[in-house]
């Protein structure tokens, strides 16, 4: 059985130094650990993202909105996974930077739309974009970010050559499509007042998070480095387990950590969203599935009614009650164990890959999921 060997908290990837200074792209071998690596990648990629967004003053209804979420900071671990995936197979991470920036642009777009679809109040410790500017302007800003994804990927034709550039573009397009498929299931269950089975939940999370936050970035970097088909499959399996594990961990933190007024970090709570916000938004998480299997019929009915209520009509006392029942029923402990199992799956896949500094950084991220520091 593969056992974790590292520990430690992972801070905000843009903290501790001037946030958007120009920084050379880090190498895994030249950084002291994943904490420093995430910070440096965050600086570099965020700077590049902001440079992609025009700063002209005659479009106050668009470009300032597009810059808002990137300026709030964030984890930045998807670009880091892409760059580490490239370096893992002896590729030059500079060759992956354009794809990493495109992936981060897609992430910013997805956050804007996700907040609208979930009726979220906060993002990264501040009011969600649509709460500040209204839904139409926020939607338009998100759409413009999505357009920048494809414009950015076109730059790969010069640096990678047309054949590899097209492969990378197709790969990331597949990642985006799978993300939309998973999101459709996630919000469709809410719209239809449905509660998914474990099998249905797994199908959703593999698409929405397994690809978007793990398999997709890792395989993209490996593809740029020229990894073989078998290597692509192994790094993809690693990334999928890691991505799903991080999502489960964030779901746990949404109920156990108060991060509403904090910008998110790799070592702190969730998304910088309100505690228990997943219950208010009616999210069908793995925690909910565990609760519905464990609670009495009357308690199950109250959980369902809380999740089915409109977010504005959900009472704070109902959210507090649901959090208490999640802990008391053993649902949180069961989900913590599932998170650790995903960490073990990821670690075992990683141990079959090249023993280079990039693997050590990925191992630190993996071990972080196995820590008993999730509540």
């Amino acid at each position: 059985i593969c056992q974790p060997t590292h520990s430690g908290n992972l801070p905000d990837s843009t903290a501790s130094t001037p946030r958007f200074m120009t920084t050379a792209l880090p190498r895994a071998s030249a950084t002291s650990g994943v904490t420093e690596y995430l910070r440096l990648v965050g600086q570099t990629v965020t700077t590049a993202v902001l440079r992609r967004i025009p700063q002209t003053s005659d479009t106050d209804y668009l470009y300032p909105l597009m810059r808002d979420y990137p300026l709030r900071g964030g984890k930045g671990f998807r670009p880091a996974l892409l760059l580490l995936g490239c370096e893992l197979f002896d590729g030059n991470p500079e060759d992956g930077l354009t794809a990493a920036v495109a992936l981060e642009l897609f992430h910013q777009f997805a956050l804007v739309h996700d907040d609208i679809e979930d009726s979220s109040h906060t993002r990264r410790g501040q009011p969600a974009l649509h709460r500040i500017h209204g839904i139409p302007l926020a939607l338009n800003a998100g759409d413009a970010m999505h357009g920048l994804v494809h414009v950015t990927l076109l730059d790969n034709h010069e640096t990678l050559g047309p054949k590899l550039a097209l492969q990378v573009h197709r790969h990331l397009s597949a990642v985006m499509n799978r993300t939309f498929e998973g999101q459709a299931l996630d919000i469709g269950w809410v719209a239809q007042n449905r509660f998914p089975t474990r099998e249905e939940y797994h199908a959703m999370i593999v698409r929405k998070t397994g690809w978007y936050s793990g398999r997709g970035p890792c395989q993209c970097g490996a593809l740029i480095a020229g990894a073989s088909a078998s290597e692509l499959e192994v790094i993809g399996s690693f990334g999928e387990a890691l991505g799903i594990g991080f999502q489960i961990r964030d779901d746990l933190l949404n109920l156990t950590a108060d991060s509403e007024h904090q910008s998110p970090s790799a070592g702190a709570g969730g998304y910088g969203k309100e505690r228990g916000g997943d219950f208010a938004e009616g999210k069908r998480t793995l925690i909910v599935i565990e609760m519905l299997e464990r609670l009495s019929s009357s308690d199950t009915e109250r959980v369902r009614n809380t999740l089915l209520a409109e977010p504005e009509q959900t009472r704070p006392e109902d959210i507090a009650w649901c959090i208490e029942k999640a802990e008391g029923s053993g649902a949180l402990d069961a989900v913590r164990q599932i998170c650790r199992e995903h960490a073990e799956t990821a670690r075992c896949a990683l141990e079959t890959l090249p023993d280079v500094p990039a693997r050590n950084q990925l191992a630190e991220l993996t071990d972080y999921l196995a820590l008993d520091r999730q509540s």
Side-chain angles (χ1 to χ4, degrees):
I1 298 176
C2 303
Q3 296 293 337
T5 57
H6 298 81
S7 64
N9 288 337
L10 306 178
D12 188 338
S13 60
T14 57
S16 304
T17 63
R19 180 169 285 179
F20 301 122
M21 60 183 286
T22 300
T23 310
L25 190 62
R27 298 294 195 275
S29 58
T31 51
S32 61
V34 75
T35 296
E36 182 185 6
Y37 183 83
L38 286 173
R39 177 177 61 82
L40 293 174
V41 167
Q43 289 176 355
T44 304
V45 172
T46 303
T47 297
V49 164
L50 291 170
R51 285 175 176 166
R52 292 272 173 179
I53 302 171
Q55 300 189 49
T56 53
S57 60
D58 58 344
T59 50
D60 290 342
Y61 299 119
L62 178 59
Y63 298 132
L65 278 67
M66 294 170 67
R67 297 169 67 84
D68 188 322
Y69 279 10
L71 284 167
R72 297 187 189 188
K75 300 176 184 178
F77 90 103
R78 292 173 188 84
L81 286 179
L82 191 154
L83 297 172
L84 287 171
C86 184
E87 201 169 343
L88 183 67
F89 296 101
D90 200 29
N92 183 351
E94 296 284 351
D95 292 339
L97 181 57
T98 296
V101 172
L103 184 62
E104 184 63 16
L105 282 164
F106 175 71
H107 178 56
Q108 302 299 331
F109 145 79
L111 293 181
V112 173
H113 279 230
D114 190 64
D115 286 345
I116 293 170
E117 291 162 351
D118 292 343
S119 298
S120 297
H121 287 273
T122 59
R123 170 66 64 181
R124 295 176 171 170
Q126 299 178 40
L129 197 67
H130 68 282
R131 298 286 177 179
I132 301 173
H133 301 283
I135 289 177
L137 283 174
L139 275 176
N140 190 59
D143 292 344
M145 297 285 274
H146 190 262
L148 271 183
V149 173
H150 299 282
V151 172
T152 300
L153 287 171
L154 290 175
D155 288 351
N156 275 330
H157 285 261
E158 286 188 30
T159 57
L160 303 180
K163 181 178 180 180
L164 182 54
L166 185 58
Q167 289 178 314
V168 169
H169 205 146
R170 283 176 172 165
H171 174 76
L172 289 180
S173 291
V175 171
M176 290 184 274
N177 286 338
R178 284 176 173 84
T179 304
F180 296 142
E181 290 173 355
Q183 180 73 345
L185 291 172
D186 200 14
I187 61 180
W189 294 331
V190 175
Q192 296 181 355
N193 295 335
R194 282 196 57 223
F195 290 87
T197 65
R198 284 182 180 272
E199 293 74 20
E200 290 172 330
Y201 172 84
H202 181 73
M204 180 276 293
I205 203 69
V206 166
R207 288 179 175 90
K208 181 177 177 180
T209 307
W211 272 87
Y212 167 44
S213 297
R215 179 180 290 271
C218 288
Q219 284 188 329
C220 188
L223 179 67
I224 292 169
S228 67
S230 60
E231 290 170 331
L232 286 170
E233 182 53 37
V234 175
I235 191 64
S237 297
F238 160 80
E240 181 176 301
L242 184 73
I244 293 174
F246 264 98
Q247 180 60 63
I248 293 172
R249 184 184 180 282
D250 273 350
D251 292 343
L252 285 163
L253 286 168
N254 183 263
L255 303 188
T256 60
D258 185 3
S259 65
E260 180 177 0
H261 302 295
Q262 303 171 12
S263 182
S265 72
Y271 316 96
K273 296 177 70 173
E274 58 274 16
R275 183 174 184 230
D278 285 350
F279 281 124
E281 294 170 7
K283 287 284 190 180
R284 274 51 163 177
T285 65
L286 190 57
I287 298 168
V288 169
I289 292 174
E290 289 284 349
M291 290 176 67
L292 295 180
E293 291 178 354
R294 294 164 181 269
L295 294 175
S296 67
S297 57
S298 59
D299 284 348
T300 295
E301 186 67 18
R302 183 171 176 180
V303 171
R304 288 175 177 267
N305 289 338
T306 299
L307 292 167
L308 293 174
E310 293 296 325
E312 292 75 12
Q313 298 174 354
T314 305
R315 301 180 303 173
E317 55 265 36
D318 288 331
I319 293 176
W321 180 87
C322 285
I323 294 173
E324 180 182 344
K325 289 296 180 178
E327 184 65 73
S329 67
L332 293 187
D333 284 338
V335 173
R336 289 186 185 105
Q337 178 57 33
I338 293 171
C339 187
R340 288 190 286 268
E341 290 169 1
H342 280 286
E344 182 178 321
T345 298
R347 177 111 182 139
C348 289
L350 191 61
E351 288 187 352
T352 69
L353 294 171
D355 187 8
V356 296
R359 194 179 84 169
N360 297 333
Q361 308 283 27
L362 292 170
E364 280 197 55
L365 280 174
T366 305
D367 295 339
Y368 184 58
L369 290 180
L371 298 179
D372 292 319
R373 298 182 183 179
Q374 299 168 8
S375 61

